[in-house]
Amino acid sequence: MHAGPTTPAPLAEPRPAGWRDELIALTRLATPLVAANLLQMAVAAVDVIFVGRLGTLELAAATMGVFLFNLLLYAVIGLTSAAAPLIAAELGQRAHAVREVRRSVRMAMWVGVAASLLVMAVLANGERLLLLADQDARVAAGAGRFLDILLWSVIPGVLAGVLRTVAAALGRAGWAFPVTGLALGLSVLANWLLVFGNAGFPRLGLEGSAIASVVSLTGMAAAYLLIFAVDRRLRRFRLFGRWWRPEWSRAREIVRLGVPIMLTWLFEGALFGGAAILMGLIGVTEVAAHAVALNIAAVAFQVPFGVAQAATIRVGLAFGAGDRAWVARAGRTALGLGIGFMGVSAVAMWLAPRLFISAYIDVDAAQNAAVVPLAMQYLAVAAVFQLVDGAQAVGAGVLRGVQDTRVPMLVALFGYWVVGFGTAAALGFGTALAGTGIWIGLAAGLLVVSVLLLWRWSARERLGLLTPRLA
């Protein structure tokens, strides 16, 4: 016996009659995810804005701490995101969907909490890790104190990530935007109160910012728990019924699909971290120009990333339903939407680079005279970069929809690190291109990954990727 209703759940969306219906369904699902992704970038920027006023040492400590924290937190969220294609396929199959969805959600949370405990152990040794990486001892000590507090937000952060994924898969993606907006508000308020000691609160400085992050992520998790209790559609799944009961076969399925996703995200994140290190070996001006150009590209990337998240669910529904025509239509629509947007953003970057750069720095200030032309060079490469970055993001998303994650992980390892980093290092230090060569290397890596992923998607029938593999 199991808690809750046993009647089959309907599809999260009705089967589309054609590409236009699919485009409408995909856009409806992707829009709040894109908006939430953009808000999440604002949440991450809040700590930098507040801590930056404390001083260079504190900013450096927070930057190092947040980099390590985010790298590991999003790796675990990537691991648990395997719940999305599983839930979508279960809804597409219709049979016993309520029970099967509950199993996936429960085991995603189990796996996420278990992985979070390992991450917390790593973060507790943050100062030692930074010292081993030959960082300044004062920066390492400050980052260590920062991480000693911040590590307590790992579990609520992962649970919020799981519940956001589940809500989207169950047709309630719209909740992502207000919940992330709540997190942004909590982060601003808690930083204002605790970093500088406003409204009678103690002035805690760097540690106050860490507490603010704990408050923000805990607030996100609590908001999602409340939503799952009051939303009529979500409530009928009774997702927290018998939460203590293990389902080891489903846990293994989540790990099997999720570990490659986690490693793919780590490979990509580490590539851009490695590119920043290469820039630092060239010069400070190059690092500043790189940061500006990369932030502009990262904002644009949130659109295909949100489309990819939605595509995993739409393709997963079709995959579970065993409808090959729908699988093809869902994938084709997602790829067209994601790549099409990036084409528009590429043209905009090519035509008006100074306009985008002016959002980050004063392009007419004398102190930025060397930074602006470099950033414009990097954005010229980023215009090409945009198309292939969107293609690889959505390509990975549609393949996840048919539960194909292991080979895409190997593609990412080869493309990002053999081609991408190798080309960046060779052009950056073996030619006069310098920083522009590093950006060409990044674009080359993304191009290889996008071509291989799109080929794999086009060959899905020959490769046998459409055989259901649900537990």
Side-chain angles (χ1 to χ4, degrees):
M1 297 292 291
H2 60 275
T6 58
T7 55
L11 285 167
E13 295 281 351
R15 296 193 190 193
W19 70 267
R20 190 168 300 174
D21 290 340
E22 180 60 42
L23 178 61
I24 291 170
L26 176 69
T27 304
R28 186 184 298 124
L29 182 57
T31 299
L33 296 177
V34 170
N37 290 342
L38 290 168
L39 270 186
Q40 193 64 52
M41 292 189 70
V43 173
V46 166
D47 290 337
V48 175
I49 292 170
F50 279 93
V51 173
R53 299 182 181 182
L54 295 174
T56 302
L57 182 63
E58 289 83 358
L59 179 58
T63 300
M64 296 303 298
V66 167
F67 172 75
L68 184 58
F69 173 80
N70 283 339
L71 185 67
L72 296 177
L73 174 68
Y74 286 104
V76 179
I77 291 175
L79 171 65
T80 60
S81 71
L86 289 173
I87 290 171
E90 287 151 4
L91 291 172
Q93 282 183 315
R94 296 174 179 259
H96 309 295
V98 170
R99 180 183 180 186
E100 296 305 311
V101 166
R102 189 159 51 236
R103 291 175 67 200
S104 293
V105 174
R106 184 163 69 244
M107 288 300 98
M109 290 192 292
W110 275 47
V111 169
V113 170
S116 295
L117 294 175
L118 295 176
V119 167
M120 291 173 70
V122 172
L123 295 179
N125 292 280
E127 181 178 357
R128 292 188 184 90
L129 291 173
L130 292 174
L131 289 173
L132 288 173
D134 202 27
Q135 297 299 307
D136 182 279
R138 295 172 302 164
V139 172
R145 294 193 303 273
F146 184 76
L147 288 171
D148 284 343
I149 297 170
L150 192 59
L151 63 84
W152 295 105
S153 65
V154 174
I155 289 178
V158 169
L159 290 179
V162 171
L163 296 177
R164 168 181 152 150
T165 296
V166 172
L170 295 179
R172 287 294 188 264
W175 284 116
F177 183 72
V179 171
T180 311
L182 170 68
L184 177 60
L186 287 174
S187 181
V188 171
L189 177 62
N191 270 285
W192 183 77
L193 293 174
L194 297 175
V195 173
F196 301 110
N198 289 308
F201 281 77
R203 180 186 175 93
L204 299 178
L206 185 62
E207 287 81 356
S209 184
I211 294 171
S213 293
V214 176
V215 170
S216 176
L217 288 173
T218 302
M220 283 187 75
Y224 273 118
L225 289 172
L226 178 62
I227 287 165
F228 274 79
V230 301
D231 184 286
R232 290 183 62 184
R233 177 178 177 80
L234 299 176
R235 186 175 59 200
R236 72 188 187 87
F237 283 88
R238 299 186 186 179
L239 296 177
F240 307 114
R242 296 193 177 183
W243 58 266
W244 62 87
R245 181 177 176 179
E247 298 278 359
W248 300 119
S249 63
R250 186 52 52 90
R252 286 192 295 272
E253 190 74 1
I254 287 172
V255 170
R256 182 184 70 82
L257 292 175
V259 167
I261 298 173
M262 175 183 72
L263 292 175
T264 299
W265 288 12
L266 281 174
F267 295 153
E268 186 171 9
L271 171 66
F272 287 98
I277 292 173
L278 293 180
M279 285 290 186
L281 296 175
I282 297 175
V284 175
T285 303
E286 284 77 6
V287 171
H290 174 74
V292 170
L294 192 59
N295 270 277
I296 294 169
V299 170
F301 177 73
Q302 300 312 308
V303 174
F305 184 51
V307 171
Q309 293 171 312
T312 295
I313 295 168
R314 294 299 304 171
V315 173
L317 285 167
F319 178 67
D323 189 332
R324 293 170 186 265
W326 184 10
V327 167
R329 186 163 55 244
R332 190 164 53 246
T333 303
L335 288 166
L337 182 61
I339 297 172
F341 173 83
M342 292 306 258
V344 172
S345 71
V347 171
M349 285 183 191
W350 184 267
L351 294 177
R354 286 178 67 90
L355 177 64
F356 289 99
I357 294 168
S358 67
Y360 292 85
I361 59 174
D362 183 351
V363 295
D364 297 316
Q367 66 267 29
N368 295 325
V371 174
V372 172
L374 279 177
M376 290 179 66
Q377 289 178 33
Y378 300 162
L379 277 184
V381 180
V384 178
F385 177 112
Q386 291 293 301
L387 287 171
V388 293
D389 203 15
Q392 66 86 23
V394 183
V398 295
L399 286 169
R400 286 172 197 146
V402 295
Q403 301 177 24
D404 180 42
T405 61
R406 188 180 64 85
V407 171
M409 173 199 69
L410 297 174
V411 166
L413 176 60
F414 171 74
Y416 296 147
W417 281 95
V418 176
V419 178
F421 193 79
T423 304
L427 295 180
F429 297 94
T431 73
L433 290 170
T436 302
I438 291 174
W439 270 77
I440 291 173
L442 293 176
L446 290 168
L447 174 62
V448 169
V449 172
S450 65
V451 168
L452 291 176
L453 291 181
L454 293 180
W455 173 84
R456 187 166 177 82
W457 172 253
S458 68
R460 61 191 178 277
E461 294 277 5
R462 297 196 306 275
L463 297 173
L465 300 184
L466 300 188
T467 302
R469 293 176 293 180
L470 295 179

